Every structure is written in C-alpha cells, then in structure tokens.
Amino acid sequence: MKLTIHVTLKPGVLDPQGKAIEHALSGLGFEGVHGARVGKLIELDVDEGTSDADLDAMCRKLLANTVIENYRIQRA
Amino acid sequence: MKLTIHVTLKPGVLDPQGKAIEHALSGLGFEGVHGARVGKLIELDVDEGTSDADLDAMCRKLLANTVIENYRIQRA
C-alpha cells in the first residue's frame, strides 16, 4: 500500500530555508514572490494491513517533529 | 496566489534518506515497511498574474534539480 505523508512547518515557525528560496528567486529576476515555505514529502510503501494508529505513531515518533511541524497522511 | 510544488526523486535514483527512514522505522518496531522515499514540498505565495512559464522556470532554475528530480506544480 502506497501513501504520502506531507510534513509542513506550523504557522509562525521561522523557515530560513523558505526565506533563502524567496531571496534566491528574486535574485534570479522572478518578481512577485511573496513567500516560500519548505516541507517534506515522504512516500511510504507499507503492508495493506497497516493501521491508522500505526501510521500516526510512525509520524509522531520519527517522521515529524510535532513541536514545530504538522503532518497529513494521504493514501494513494 | 498560493501553490505547492512537489519535488520528488526520479525512479531509480538512490535515496539514502529514505533508506535511513526505512531502517529507523523497523528499529522502532514498525513491521511491514517496504520502502520510503523523501522529497520536498515547497509552498509558494506568488502574484495572481504569475505565468506557468515563470513557474516552470522557477522550478528548473532553482527549486528542483531536474537531473535527478521531478517536480509537479499544484495550484491551491
């Protein structure tokens, strides 16, 4: 079973990587870029029987730092 | 205008980060994880009038390494 986990920074958390992208884009001459935020996209291939509880635990224990990040599980 | 750019490794490209996640998950006792691949999720806030050509150029010039990565632009 394939699924994708979207890990994004919580609103209000500083994103230096996003800031760097923003400045680099304007440095390359792209106008009209008002913000950029960077997150992770984790594609997992797991057994069919993997429960939602297990997936949540994987996210909480390893894949996302829930202090500063949100995660969303998207089934294929 | 908000949009999200999904940057993923091309099939066949080695993903050490994904491998590390796979091993860490099994080390934490999660069975049935057969694969993990990590990509980037870039949320951009750009002017309404930004053209598809400009967005493509942003991806090709900065946001994705098109030698080893694919990108997909998803409008909000």
Side-chain angles (χ1 to χ4, degrees), chain A residues 6 30 37 39 47 63 68 73:
Chain A
H6 300 241
F30 294 107
R37 286 180 77 76
D47 278 349
L63 304 178
I68 60 168
I73 299 169

Side-chain angles (χ1 to χ4, degrees), chain A residues 49-57 73 75:
Chain A
T50 307
S51 68
D52 286 353
D54 271 352
L55 291 173
D56 254 317
I73 299 169
R75 290 174 184 270

